[in-house]
Amino acid sequence: MLFLLLLLPMSGLVTEAFFGSHSRGCSWGLERYFNGVANRVLPGHGYCNLTLPSLAMCGMECFIDDRCLTFHYSEGERRCELNGATASRYPMALIERAGTDYFSPEQPSFAELLTNGREVPIRLTDCWYHTHASAASECRRTGQHLCLQWELDHASKEGYPATPPSWYADPDSQAVLTETGVTYHDLPLTAPSPGLCCSLPMTYRDPVITPQSYDLADRAGQVRGCSDLAAHPCTLAELKEAYDHGYRSLYWGYLATPNRDTRVDGCTHHKDDECYQGTIANTPRPATRKQVYCCPNRV
């Protein structure tokens, strides 16, 4: 795969004049640049077509236009098309077109994932934000959510490219994907950052446990706690599936079945109706306040 790298050096003063604030409330990093993927385009998102003699001039037009997130350039036709979307937002939409190249701030390794036909589990927001709430709002606007820690761990294992410090589900920290895993950084951070947005998982994922505890009778609160994790209270069948995938937990917590608690570590001291399928211990004697086993939603 041929990658074309276009660097547009500008003084900090000029860059700040262009990108200190956008009409959409976005703020790019001052080191904005474009990576290119040969013979690929992102159709349907262009808003301006220009005839320009060079790739550099096309890139400059995009650089100074706060609507422009990516662009196409055809050297043979000298055709420059400015786009209002990125392939990271529409990962399956990047298609082949001989003689025209796609350019964006996305990292080359991300573009390689796209052109290899792989579905990327997460995306960076097109804009950079000073607050967690703003990044979360951008993810929700596109039908996603700020990634949870286990989703970032999964994305790292799947080869998602390195990222700058980015907002994720925890409002008190930022995450960085690296070649060796995920690192987390405590706030405060003063520079604007992108958000890491995740789609609902389509395959098995381990359960997660709510950070908060809930009263036994507060079923609505238990459901909301799981919903904040893009999940729902686990059923016994889902916990059995998790056990079969190797998941273990000695912690007793609530589940989807009312007025019972459970743990995922076999049924050493439980039997009959307190041992689901010989595997998942669950009792009708729960404490009055516990955390909840949440199973990630699937689509």
Side-chain angles (χ1 to χ4, degrees):
M1 178 58 59
L2 171 63
F3 293 107
L4 309 172
L5 180 63
L6 171 63
L7 297 177
L8 299 177
M10 302 180 72
S11 72
L13 180 63
V14 174
T15 306
E16 180 65 25
F18 284 139
F19 297 108
S21 63
H22 279 17
S23 60
R24 296 169 50 207
C26 304
S27 179
W28 290 98
L30 299 184
E31 303 83 8
R32 183 179 176 187
Y33 61 91
F34 295 97
N35 296 303
V37 185
N39 300 316
R40 297 278 174 162
V41 296
L42 182 68
H45 302 284
Y47 64 87
C48 179
N49 285 294
L50 304 167
T51 300
L52 295 172
S54 71
L55 172 63
M57 292 184 67
C58 183
M60 185 62 69
E61 289 293 331
C62 183
F63 194 78
I64 64 177
D65 187 339
D66 62 5
R67 297 171 298 171
C68 185
L69 301 177
T70 64
F71 67 91
H72 302 137
Y73 187 72
S74 171
E75 185 173 355
E77 299 176 359
R78 296 188 175 183
R79 182 171 178 268
C80 173
E81 181 179 30
L82 307 185
N83 302 317
T86 64
S88 59
R89 176 171 291 181
Y90 303 97
M92 297 296 103
L94 203 66
I95 63 172
E96 291 189 30
R97 181 178 296 172
T100 301
D101 305 324
Y102 166 82
F103 291 84
S104 81
E106 297 148 327
Q107 297 197 23
S109 50
F110 176 84
E112 185 174 13
L113 289 177
L114 296 177
T115 54
N116 286 341
R118 293 180 59 187
E119 184 175 359
V120 180
I122 66 176
R123 71 171 182 88
L124 286 172
T125 56
D126 295 329
C127 303
W128 294 42
Y129 301 96
H130 285 279
T131 67
H132 180 274
S134 296
S137 177
E138 170 68 9
C139 290
R140 288 194 298 270
R141 191 174 68 83
T142 58
Q144 297 179 296
H145 57 269
L146 281 176
C147 295
L148 302 164
Q149 184 170 335
W150 59 266
E151 290 176 302
L152 295 179
D153 292 338
H154 171 72
S156 177
K157 292 175 183 176
E158 290 294 308
Y160 191 86
T163 66
S166 304
W167 299 108
Y168 74 110
D170 186 344
D172 299 319
S173 179
Q174 288 194 337
V176 178
L177 272 71
T178 69
E179 294 181 354
T180 57
V182 187
T183 60
Y184 299 93
H185 300 271
D186 294 334
L187 297 181
L189 297 173
T190 57
S193 302
L196 284 162
C197 303
C198 283
S199 301
L200 294 177
M202 301 183 69
T203 58
Y204 169 81
R205 299 291 186 272
D206 282 345
V208 289
I209 299 176
T210 58
Q212 303 89 1
S213 296
Y214 300 88
D215 291 334
L216 176 64
D218 186 11
R219 299 291 293 170
Q222 296 169 30
V223 171
R224 284 195 302 272
C226 288
S227 179
D228 289 342
L229 301 174
H232 58 272
C234 294
T235 65
L236 285 168
E238 288 175 317
L239 292 175
K240 171 64 164 60
E241 180 187 20
Y243 185 91
D244 292 342
H245 277 85
Y247 176 79
R248 299 290 186 272
S249 174
L250 293 173
Y251 181 81
W252 287 94
Y254 298 144
L255 70 161
T257 305
N259 302 316
R260 294 182 85 93
D261 61 0
T262 186
R263 73 178 189 182
V264 188
D265 191 48
C267 295
T268 305
H269 304 294
H270 298 82
K271 59 183 180 179
D272 301 328
D273 69 338
E274 294 188 9
C275 183
Y276 178 78
Q277 294 191 3
T279 305
I280 307 300
N282 64 106
T283 80
R285 302 175 296 278
T288 58
R289 190 171 180 84
K290 284 185 177 292
Q291 293 168 277
V292 187
Y293 278 100
C294 303
C295 286
N297 298 325
R298 306 189 197 189
V299 294

